Structures are given as C-alpha cells and as structure tokens.
Amino acid sequence: MSNFRIRALQEFSTHRAERFFEENRPVSEYFGQNVFTLEKMRKYLSPDAYAQVVSSIREGVSIDRRFADQIAAGMKTWAVEMGATHYTHWFHPMTDSTAEKHEAFVDRDAEGHIFENFKGSTLVQQESDGSSFPNGGLRNTFEARGYTAWDPSSPAFILDNTLCIPTVFVAYTGESLDMKLPLLKSLRALDRAAVDVVRLFDRNVRKVEVMLGPEQEYFLVDDAFYRARPDLQICNRTLIGHTAAKDQQLEDHYFGTIPSRTMAFMKDFETNAYKLGILLKTRHNEVAPNQFECAPLYCEANLAIDHNLILMLLMRKVAKKHHFKVLFHEKPFDGVNGSGKHCNWSLVTDTGVNLLSPGRTPRTNLQFLSIFVSVIRAVYEHNYLLMSSVASLSNSYRLGGHEAPPAVMSVFVGTTLDKVLRSIEDMSDYGEGDTERERLSVVSEIPEILPDNTDRNRTSPFAFTGNRFEFRAVGSSVNVSAPMYVLNAAVAQQLRRFKGLVDEKMAAGEKHDDAIFQVIRQFVLESKAIRFEGNGYGKEWKEESARRGLKPLDSVPEANKALISPETVKLFAEDSILSDRELYARYEVQQETYTKKLQIEARVLGDLIVNHIVPTAIKFQNTLIDNCRGLRDLFGQEKMEQMCSSQLKMIEKISRYVDSLRRDVHDMIEERKKANQLQDVTDRATAYCECVLPYMGRIREVSDKLEMLVDDELWPLPKYREMLLSR
Ligand code: ADP
Ligand code: MG
C-alpha cells in the first residue's frame, strides 16, 4: 500500500522542531546589520556624497552622476566587508514576486589584476533584457530593452551574500513595467495634495508621508504533505479534499499556544528579518488550524512594501530548513478561513502629526475631519476600482466567502465617529444663528480615540481603527503596491478637490473655518452611501449595498475592466501616475494572469481526477466487487444480494461518481480548448471564468464525496486532517 500519502505520513512523523542559529544578543544589537542604512552611509561615504543621498531620500532630488561612483564605491566596500560577492538590482515586475539577476563584483583590470568592481553607473541604472517579464505589450520585441533604476528611498540590503539594490523597472520609453514606479508616483502625488490641505491649518508642514503596516497571514504545511499534493505544489492551494471533521469550529487555534516546530520557524525568520531592518512586532496563531500571522511596526509605505516582499522571500527560504512550506495563497484550504494582508494605512506630517488621529482641540479636529472625510469620499468615488485592485483568481476564492471581507466596498468608522458624521449631516445648512456654536460642539465632541479593539468591525473591507484605516480585502499573496497606489491616487484627488472647494468659498468671502466646515459637510453628504456600520457578512447588506448602487465584485475579468474605465484613466492621468497605455498594459497582464492561472488549475485538477482519484475509486470498487463475488460463491446469488444490498448500491454509486468525474473533466477540457481559441484577452479571461471555472467546483464536490467512500488506506493524497491538524 505504498503510495505518496503513506510515504508523506512516514516522513512527516520524523520532523521535529529544527535547530537553528539562535541569536542570544538583544535584537537592538544586530537590528539592520545587513542593511546599508544612513548611519552606515555616513561612515562609508564622503560628506558630499552622503548629503546627496539624504536629499534624494528626503526631497526626491535625483542623484548627481558625479557622486554616483563615490556612493557605489562606499556601498561596495561595506558589502564586501559583509561577505557579499555579488550585487543585483532588485525589482518588482508585475507578477507579485520580485526579480533579481546577480552579477559578481569580481573583475579584471587591463593588467590582469583581479579586484572587486562596482561602478556608479551600474548602481544607478542597468539594462535588463528579459522581455519575458509580463509587459502587456509595452515592449515590442524589436525594442525589448528595459531598464532598472535605483530607488535611493529604500536602502540596499544583503541577502545570500548578494547586495540587493531596490530599483524601479521601466521600458525604454520610460513606461513603467513594475509595481514600484506607480507606487512612488502616487506617494508623491498624495504628499503634494495632503500638504496643500494641511497647510490650511499649519503652515510649518512641508511633507506628508503615507505610513503602512501590512499584516501578513499565512498557512504552514509540512513539506512532506506538500510534495505529495500536486495541487499544492503547482497551484499553492488544494483543488480537492474533504474538510476535516474538526477544523476551526471550536475556535481553539486563534491566539492559542504556538506549536514548537512553528515557533522555531518563526524565531528563525524573525531573526533574519531583524538583520534586514524589518521590525516585526506581532506573531500569533490565526483562526484556521495551521494559519498564522505576523505584522511589522508600520513605516513609510514604499519601505513597508519592500520589507513585506523581502519578508515573504525570507519566510519561504527559512521554511525549507524547517521542513515547512509556507502558503501565502488566499485560500489554500476550502471550508476554513482564508488569508489576507490587511493594509493599515495612515498619513503623517514631517512635523510628526498623524493626520488620522483625532486631536485634542476643535481646531486639530477640524484638520482630522478634513483628511478623514476626504479618504471616505475617495473610497466612495472609486469604490469599485479599489475593490477590483484586490481582485485576482486566488483572492476570488476568499472574498465574500467564509469569514472574509465581503466583495463589495464599504467604510466602517465606528460608533463615535459615526455619531459625529451624522450630526454634521443633520445640521441644517448653516451660516445663520447658532450654527457656529453647534459646529464647534460637534467638532470638539471627537475624543482622542485610542486604537480600540472593542469598536472593531471585522466584517468591513475598509475600517477606521482609531488612528488609521485598515484595508482588509487585500490578499495575502500579493505585492500590495496596486491597492496602495489606487488608494493614494484616489485620496490625492479628493484632497485636491477639498482644497479647491475651500479656496473657492474663501474667495467668495467665507471665513476660513466656515469654508472648511462646509466642505467637510459636503463630503460627508456625498459619500454617505459608502458608510456601513452593520454586519458585512449578512444577506441584508448584499441587498442594501445594491440599493445604494455599490457594485460588488462578481467576476475577476469583469473587475479588471475597472482599470481602464474613463474615470480610472482620468484619475491616474491627473497626477501622471499611469498613462492610459500603461493602464491598458496592466489590464492586459491581469487578464492574462487570470487566464493562465485558471488554465493551470484546471489542468492540475484534470490530472488529479483522471490519474489519481478515478483509478483509486476503481481499485476500491473492485475490492467491493470481489467481496460480493466471494459471498455469492459461498451463499449463492439470492443470499448475496440480501447480504450486500448497501454494498451493491455503493458499487453503483462509485460508478456514477466516476462517470460524472470523467464526463466533467472531458467537458472542462473542451471548454478550455474553445476558450484558448479566443484571440482577445478579455474574451479569453471571461470564457475561462464563465465556462471553465464552474466545472472546478462540480468536480471537486464529487471527488470529495468519493474521498468519504473510499478506503482510507487507498486514498492517494494527504487529507485535510493530516495537513491542517498535524503539528
Ligand atoms: P490587528 O489587531 O488589526 O490584527 P496588528 O497588531 O496585527 O493589529 O497589526 C496592526 C498593524 O497596524 C501593525 O503593522 C501596526 O504597526 C500598524 N499600525 C499601527 N498604527 C498605525 C498607523 N498609525 N498607521 C499605519 N499603520 C499602523
Ligand atoms: Mg493582526
């Protein structure tokens, strides 16, 4: 009875908590040791070169070529001292992962001397071929060149003896081929727009930064099980598998004691993360069995995203050593919670004020409200685009499902602020009588709310949590740049509008605070439909949100279209974040990615059914048939039929299931063939979604029924209870 599963179970039983290099120094002593921080730059660079980098980081000034060589030399000296032998431009193509191409420092000069070489020009820019990155037609084959260019605002770091230099990735036309460039542009746009609004209150503010704290959820599965499951191996999720009798219904995993094998893994990757300057703060068990979460202390968004991507790399790497596979997929297991990457988002001034923190005085509260309602207004304006920015094949299995944010956008603000916004709404058009006093009382009613767990709505995709918004619909596997640049751009647009309206009113003679208050009220009224304090999981909300005209995310190919709608094109053009050509390219990449991933899943499912499940079912059916035959030989036909009535039914049932599986797999393949013929990316993705996807659920259902019928010893794939409950 040797099969994959038995071998996996045997191998699993040998896995213990792994030993690893455990630092006994306090973290503060080695934190950031593998990062070329400002502190190290001061040591390794000339004062002029150092000043260049600092102004480039702080003000976005581009680095003077004259200093590039000096900076490169300093960086190289440090890296080589740290044991680095190679360097790479590290960038984020449109794939959710990162890309690197290592070059050795070692070089030979004209006299044949061997030395470590790293030129300024190589630091600043590199030509990267690889027209094989997704580009949505932005790179014609006759001009396939792309460039990576240094992003000094995110420090270089050493991973695997390689100096990694964060870069943006652009086509020879300057059009962006990555996730980072539009992100950086959106951060700049939001900075400009927010500064203009904040300066209505405080003339000292010169810069506003986006702060981001992404909470990373993930599953761990033993690598012996992982290797025995082609679906996990290829698709990062189980395509079939009956739920375990017990999974999360007793709610005994969330915040439970972390199993020792997992703990060793966590400590190991955390230590490595600290060395890379990633300030991990939180770790805990999540709701589903073998699901966990870690969260860093928030920091500037561009850096936070780089950190998250490095963290995912690290976790994958370290997991190997501990015989785990880490699954970042949004829904690796049916029937239990999926994983998200909640994006905690706020705005902070260079004077150190969190603009989403309600203040102590009516005046600071007026500032808070201006920003707060602009964010809500932005989410309202682009609610479908924002939702679609988190749409992907893998997240579509999670959203709207079991304990996951619903697939329609809404904003939750909490009881206190809901009351405040309502009273602002209810105020009669003011300008007469007592209203100035009323206004002041409303504004001063806002207490300095501390982040408070009691006033949390876990069913909202976009929730205010005391001093920040939390975008909870974002998927666990993604580079969060896309949802972040959509959010940043949308908020920048409304802040600009806010400032414009206030200016107009003041020009028309309104007093400063009155003008501001009127625009706040206008924004509150305009965005009323997006605010929802109730249960987002409920059926009522589905109906209510439809009444309010909020469009749910029904299908990914449909959602992708939001990226090229006239409103989106206008939004991204306003700040030159992405041109219509760049948006269209992204659109094409997303549709293609959807199609390809679904195609792969459908192929794997077909293989599993035809080559693993059906043969197993038939093998088991034959043992039943043999048994009946034997009984017939002993007792005769009539007696056997009496004795085996349920067994005979089971034999029939298995035939029915096998037949239905074979038919569905065949038909699914036919649908795929038809879809593959379609030339247009949208048509193809839509056909996959509408004609191929439905088979996957049907096939799974029957296969899972067979799993419950077939002798456990024969079942070829590790079962849910083994993968989820084995520690
Ligand atoms: P939760 O209770 O929501 O699971 P966690 O502690 O897991 O909270 O994660 C919260 C995340 O929000 C952390 O990354 C934290 O640093 C981040 N965060 C806290 N305050 C802010 C803020 N003002 N702006 C952005 N992120 C923040
Ligand atoms: Mg958390």
Side-chain angles (χ1 to χ4, degrees), residues 285-301:
N285 288 0
E286 257 304 327
V287 172
N290 277 351
Q291 189 191 24
F292 305 93
E293 178 187 304
C294 61
L297 183 67
Y298 68 91
C299 65
E300 188 281 318

Side-chain angles (χ1 to χ4, degrees), residues 215-217 254-255 282 284 286 293-295 342 344 456 458 468 470:
E215 301 166 49
Q216 180 70 57
E217 294 180 337
Y254 193 52
F255 287 11
T282 309
H284 61 81
E286 257 304 327
E293 178 187 304
C294 61
H342 302 174
N344 293 270
R456 289 270 194 111
R458 302 219 166 250
R468 61 187 186 268
E470 187 175 350

